[in-house]
Amino acid sequence: MRAVRDRRTKRTRAVPAIGALGAVLFSAAAGLPVAAQAQRAIPETTDDVRRVPIPPVDRSHEPILVLTGGTLLDGKGGAPIANAVIVTQGDRIVAAGPAATTPVPANVARRIDATGLYILPGLIDLHVHFTQQRGADMGRYSDSPAAAAIRGTALADQLVTAGITAVRDVGTTDDVALRIKEAVDRGIIRGPRVMWSGRIISSTGGHGDEVTSTATGRQKPALGGAPHGVDGPWEWRVAVREQVRSLTDWIKLGAPADREELAAAIDEAHSLGVPVAIDSYGVYTDMAIEAGVDTLEHPLLMSDNAVPLMKKHGTAFVPTIGAFDNLLTGGYPTAGIPSGGFYYTHSRRFVIDQQDHLKRVTEAHRAGVPIGVGTDIPFENDVRYPDAYFRELDYLHQAGLSNAEVLASATRVGAQILRMGDKLGTIEPGKIADLLIVGGNPLETLTALRAVRYVVADGKVVVERP
């Protein structure tokens, strides 16, 4: 497993156009050993984590969009660039830099004067659920995949309207998140770029396989028939293979599970070139980190060993701090869930403490653990977006990240955690044209991100508020 993991890590730097799975496919097709792939990059792949090889794309006849006059925050960590020019053609960035050294092509299809505005990469939310029930009236209505798809479509529009141009769905109903991903790709609906992880893989009765509602304590309707929990290392491997077969970009695990189950699932996913996230707590978190999990979701009941282990093993952290503020303060309605902690659930029999969560994020930040932005909140997304995202940024700031570091978490670092750092997260030639134009400088105040003027997603202007 470690060899696979190391090879994937090197690949993101040496061969940015292809993932581990793509390397295996290409090498097999060419009759080459996998080790030779480092010198034989595939020129074009799908714009997702799977990196499936596709025929070369001719963008030479695609329309050209030019932004002029704005201040460019390109996400690479350098100083802001005043009076910048950004040129996109089709879905790709062609040029970006100072007006004095960045020529504007003659055959421009559209120009946007961004004078007085700030241009930055599109924002990334690493933890959403398109399909979960939400709203104070959720108990009045039956659920179904069709209903989930309707809710997810509405949320997709809310996300991209707020400047969030890429998301990772970490737990969905059936294949709804995949179909939302495809609908966005095909231009049927407005929304962000979607990476999805299918159904949460959990042990019988674990998180993701509970039969009682956290809101009411009542037994859930048996929408999917028998419980879908899996048990034993081999079943966890099979569950991973089934998810990959279903075209997932990520694998999502839930605790509790034993060490062998976690190790088997993570090893299987990595052998197939697919990264793994886990919703965990306590000793299960430590076991997952040691087994090589890629991202830890939520700071729930973290041990004193967790952050040092994350640093040692290169684990990224998506803390979703704001997902629990309502449980503690009652600041938002949460589908009838009483404030103060989790209730009616056997898999999470512990209290939560928001200040402890903040301390763990601070500890991780000081240790150099990569931190991304994720909101979670499967309930009330219809009323909490986009506010929930910006509240999460505020929490990261409270945990000790500077405005620049928070902005990096929402863009460049988020893209790297997503395994899309070669295509997203910064504004530079060759990257996907996902851009956000706002009315103020977010390096001075993060609230400037709320002042959305334009959103460019996949090279298309999808939001326009001149």
Side-chain angles (χ1 to χ4, degrees):
M1 178 191 68
R2 180 57 53 190
V4 172
R5 182 176 174 83
D6 290 345
R7 185 162 62 246
R8 189 190 64 245
T9 302
K10 292 176 183 176
R11 188 274 312 161
T12 59
R13 294 190 179 126
V15 192
I18 184 170
L21 180 58
V24 173
L25 291 172
F26 177 76
S27 299
L32 299 172
V34 173
Q37 170 57 24
Q39 292 78 38
R40 308 268 184 154
I42 295 176
E44 196 86 37
T45 70
T46 53
D47 289 334
D48 55 26
V49 181
R50 293 175 62 84
R51 305 304 174 95
V52 177
I54 61 174
V57 178
D58 181 9
R59 299 179 175 88
S60 62
H61 301 293
E62 294 289 327
I64 294 175
L65 169 69
V66 174
L67 285 73
T68 61
T71 299
L72 173 61
L73 309 176
D74 61 18
K76 296 190 290 184
I81 300 172
N83 191 24
V85 169
I86 297 91
V87 181
T88 73
Q89 184 164 28
D91 61 357
R92 288 301 192 268
I93 298 169
V94 175
T101 57
T102 309
V104 175
N107 55 335
V108 175
R110 180 173 181 185
R111 295 172 182 253
I112 293 177
D113 181 2
T115 302
L117 307 179
Y118 289 78
I119 307 164
L120 60 149
L123 305 176
I124 298 172
D125 191 330
L126 292 170
H127 194 121
V128 302
H129 297 279
F130 278 113
T131 62
Q132 301 242 354
Q133 277 274 33
R134 53 189 198 276
D137 61 352
M138 61 168 279
R140 294 174 53 195
Y141 299 98
S142 298
D143 201 7
S144 69
I150 293 170
R151 293 193 302 269
T153 300
L155 177 57
D157 189 83
Q158 291 170 319
L159 285 159
V160 78
T161 299
I164 298 161
T165 56
V167 301
R168 181 183 59 164
D169 184 294
V170 283
T172 188
T173 299
D174 290 354
D175 62 350
V176 172
L178 171 62
R179 303 312 169 195
I180 291 174
K181 171 182 177 175
E182 292 175 341
V184 172
D185 290 345
R186 297 169 64 188
I188 297 173
I189 65 172
R190 291 199 325 161
R193 186 176 313 280
V194 176
M195 312 295 158
W196 77 299
S197 60
R199 191 173 60 191
I200 299 174
I201 298 173
S202 60
S203 58
T204 299
H207 181 55
D209 193 42
E210 301 97 336
V211 297
T212 56
S213 166
T214 306
T216 65
R218 293 194 298 269
Q219 187 168 337
K220 298 177 181 178
L223 291 175
H228 62 260
V230 294
D231 302 291
W234 178 245
E235 284 195 11
W236 280 62
R237 285 187 182 272
V238 172
V240 168
R241 293 180 183 181
E242 289 176 345
Q243 297 285 32
V244 174
R245 179 175 180 267
S246 298
L247 308 181
T248 56
D249 298 293
W250 277 74
I251 296 297
K252 173 72 177 298
L253 308 180
D258 67 30
R259 188 181 299 274
E260 289 75 20
E261 289 171 335
L262 294 172
I266 294 166
D267 176 62
E268 190 67 33
H270 286 172
S271 73
L272 297 172
V274 179
V276 184
I278 189 166
D279 184 334
S280 187
Y281 56 90
V283 66
Y284 307 111
T285 294
D286 297 348
M287 291 191 299
I289 296 170
E290 290 173 330
V293 75
D294 296 282
T295 69
L296 173 64
E297 313 297 306
H298 319 308
L300 296 174
L301 202 67
M302 292 175 68
S303 75
D304 292 337
N305 297 323
V307 169
L309 285 172
M310 293 171 77
K311 176 63 176 177
K312 176 182 177 181
H313 293 277
T315 313
F317 193 15
V318 184
T320 69
I321 313 169
F324 306 108
D325 62 357
N326 58 304
L327 295 180
L328 294 165
T329 66
Y332 279 100
T334 309
I337 299 176
S339 63
F342 294 107
Y343 297 95
Y344 307 117
T345 173
H346 189 269
S347 63
R348 288 182 169 181
R349 291 174 291 167
F350 54 85
V351 297
I352 59 175
D353 184 279
Q354 192 75 329
Q355 291 307 308
D356 184 59
H357 290 171
L358 286 170
K359 289 177 183 177
R360 291 301 185 189
V361 178
T362 299
E363 182 185 352
H365 172 57
R366 290 175 177 171
V369 171
I371 296 175
V373 180
T375 50
D376 192 11
I377 54 168
F379 307 108
E380 283 75 50
N381 274 322
D382 49 351
V383 297
R384 293 186 69 169
Y385 257 101
D387 186 58
Y389 190 89
F390 302 125
R391 285 170 62 91
E392 186 69 19
L393 301 185
D394 290 339
Y395 273 125
L396 292 179
H397 186 67
Q398 291 178 36
L401 281 70
S402 68
N403 286 356
E405 289 168 334
V406 171
L407 200 59
S409 289
T411 55
R412 183 185 72 250
V413 176
Q416 293 166 350
I417 293 172
L418 193 58
R419 298 296 186 267
M420 292 289 290
D422 60 317
K423 296 194 178 220
L424 301 172
T426 60
I427 298 176
E428 54 187 315
K431 293 286 186 79
I432 295 171
D434 285 354
L435 312 172
L436 172 60
I437 300 92
V438 296
N441 185 355
L443 295 176
E444 294 179 356
T445 172
L446 294 172
T447 59
L449 294 172
R450 296 174 181 259
V452 175
R453 296 293 181 265
Y454 298 89
V455 178
V456 178
D458 219 30
K460 301 177 181 65
V461 179
V462 295
V463 175
E464 187 169 359
R465 298 171 181 164

